[in-house]
Amino acid sequence: MVESRCGLLCGQCEYREKMGCAGCVNMEKPFWGDSCPVKSCCEEKGHGHCGMCPAFPCELLHGFAYDPQQGDNGARIDRCRAWKEEV
């Protein structure tokens, strides 16, 4: 089940309950700021998640997945790939 645009598992996110976050696929604006570049990119291209994009995995997603502070060492990229195979 797709939970986010970038492959993040919202159900496992520490901010879900704390911030009342419904996940980016269920809200217009993320709780952490005015916009999320990954969410915006997917929605502008009409994709449910990054794995559906012909440019997957792009530099933008790669930067998020391997960010030293909030990245997950590429797990979200693998997840997007798996979500694409489920369709």
Side-chain angles (χ1 to χ4, degrees):
M1 182 174 109
V2 174
E3 295 185 36
S4 67
R5 304 287 186 218
C6 70
L8 184 70
L9 287 178
C10 297
Q12 296 177 7
C13 180
E14 65 182 276
Y15 296 105
R16 187 173 184 116
E17 282 189 42
K18 197 184 315 185
M19 301 303 291
C21 181
C24 68
V25 297
N26 298 308
M27 65 179 154
E28 269 188 56
K29 183 177 152 186
F31 68 86
W32 61 88
D34 288 332
S35 67
C36 170
V38 174
K39 173 180 169 50
S40 297
C41 181
C42 279
E43 291 174 355
E44 287 169 10
K45 293 178 179 178
H47 300 308
H49 61 82
C50 290
M52 304 304 291
C53 184
F56 172 79
C58 68
E59 286 185 39
L60 178 62
L61 181 61
H62 191 272
F64 272 71
Y66 290 97
D67 178 78
Q69 294 177 334
Q70 296 184 26
D72 55 12
N73 292 317
R76 68 185 70 202
I77 293 172
D78 294 336
R79 205 164 294 112
C80 283
R81 194 171 282 122
W83 287 345
K84 181 178 181 180
E85 292 173 8
E86 291 175 6
V87 176

